[in-house]
Amino acid sequence: MSFLKNMFGSNEEKQSVSKVGWRPLTDLGQLNEIIDLSTENPVLIFKHSTRCSISRIVLKQFENEFDLQDKVIPYLLDLLEFRNVSNEIASRFGVTHQSPQIILVKNGKAVYNASHESIDINKLGQFV
């Protein structure tokens, strides 16, 4: 087994630590927390499909370009596992569901959202 691991590497080794500092979004109650936090700091929600290669590519690119560490509070949603949370985000913030998708929340309201190839850290920064 170690021969194969040495030859091909392991998934654990291939996964790099993200500089974003994601908070996992797993519970409907966290949406109230996000609304409260957004009155002091912008909150970023990244909706990610773990089965979609496009979503994985966009997430990785976003993480590589992320430079808003001290400007936003970042949450990452696995929308396949927590579809109810994803649906509530769409309803509560009035944003049509997409994947991958970013939503920026300020003062309890979605002020910016983008999906797929429109996800751009520079554009996001203009709304922070």
Side-chain angles (χ1 to χ4, degrees), residues 29-67:
Q30 289 177 280
L31 296 180
N32 293 328
E33 174 185 303
I34 285 170
I35 290 170
D36 290 344
L37 288 171
S38 76
T39 62
E40 304 213 7
N41 293 301
V43 177
L44 173 70
I45 300 170
F46 194 112
K47 292 170 61 176
H48 171 56
S49 171
T50 54
R51 285 189 221 143
C52 174
S53 60
I54 293 171
S55 188
R56 190 171 26 259
I57 291 167
V58 171
L59 174 61
K60 184 54 85 183
Q61 180 176 342
F62 183 85
E63 289 178 328
N64 288 339
E65 295 174 356
F66 187 79
D67 61 355

